[in-house]
Amino acid sequence: MADAIQTVALVGTGLIGGSLGLALRDRRPSVQLVAYDPVAGSEAVARGAAHRQAASPALAVRDADLVVLGAPMRYLPVLLSDIAPHLKPGAVVTDVGSVKAPLVAHAADVLPDRNPFVGGHPMAGAERGGMAHADAFLFENATWVLCPPAGLGEADVPNRFPALIDLVEATGARVLLLDA
């Protein structure tokens, strides 16, 4: 795939972010994974969910082709604002939170036009959270909702974001496109 994702920044490596890192490490071993998580970043590296840990969100995202925001929902608007000036041109930003409309609106306000935001919500979880309980098979047969930018038709999404869809499907999840 010509526009394949080579580097993924995992900003938040709890259960979901850590599980994503583990799944990608297993199923897309050529993808470089950079973690930023002030609590679990070193554990993410130790468990193999990331190749290296960044000292800040800005440093995590600067070379990433895909940025996955896996922090608690209350932090996501601030993280979006903080990373916006540090994004590589063309990098796609997504999240794994539950609420989409406010975050999609905030992303439209703060992200440069060259960095699309595709909201995401993997319908997966576990009784226990945190990197300690991350599992490479967490997304197996789960639905992963993607909310593309407003105005983009459902038929256009696979053409515009094929590498993102490929990575989501590589985790074993099935993509469902919905508006925010």
Side-chain angles (χ1 to χ4, degrees):
M1 181 173 294
D3 58 349
I5 294 170
Q6 297 175 2
T7 303
V8 174
L10 301 170
V11 182
T13 54
L15 176 68
I16 302 295
S19 295
L20 177 58
L22 291 171
L24 293 178
R25 190 85 184 254
D26 285 351
R27 297 169 187 173
R28 291 294 186 270
S30 65
V31 172
Q32 289 298 300
L33 301 164
V34 180
Y36 170 76
D37 189 315
V39 175
S42 59
E43 185 179 0
V45 173
R47 289 213 40 219
H51 293 93
R52 64 182 174 85
Q53 180 178 343
S56 69
L59 291 173
V61 306
R62 72 177 177 190
D63 295 320
D65 303 302
L66 174 66
V67 175
V68 180
L69 301 176
M73 287 297 301
R74 67 183 174 274
Y75 299 119
L76 295 185
V78 171
L79 279 172
L80 271 172
S81 297
D82 288 350
I83 67 170
H86 306 284
L87 294 168
K88 172 177 148 179
V92 174
V93 181
T94 190
D95 75 309
V96 294
S98 57
V99 178
K100 291 292 143 247
L103 194 58
V104 167
H106 185 71
D109 288 342
V110 301
L111 291 182
D113 290 340
R114 68 179 194 238
N115 297 108
F117 181 80
V118 179
H121 184 175
M123 307 299 269
E127 289 182 20
R128 296 182 190 187
M131 184 65 225
H133 303 286
D135 180 356
F137 298 101
L138 183 69
F139 308 111
E140 209 50 55
N141 297 313
T143 297
W144 193 309
V145 177
L146 291 176
C147 301
L152 195 61
E154 188 173 314
D156 299 324
V157 175
N159 296 327
R160 179 102 187 266
F161 303 106
L164 171 60
I165 291 170
D166 174 66
L167 282 187
V168 168
E169 290 176 343
T171 69
R174 296 178 313 272
V175 172
L176 174 64
L177 300 173
L178 295 175
D179 63 31

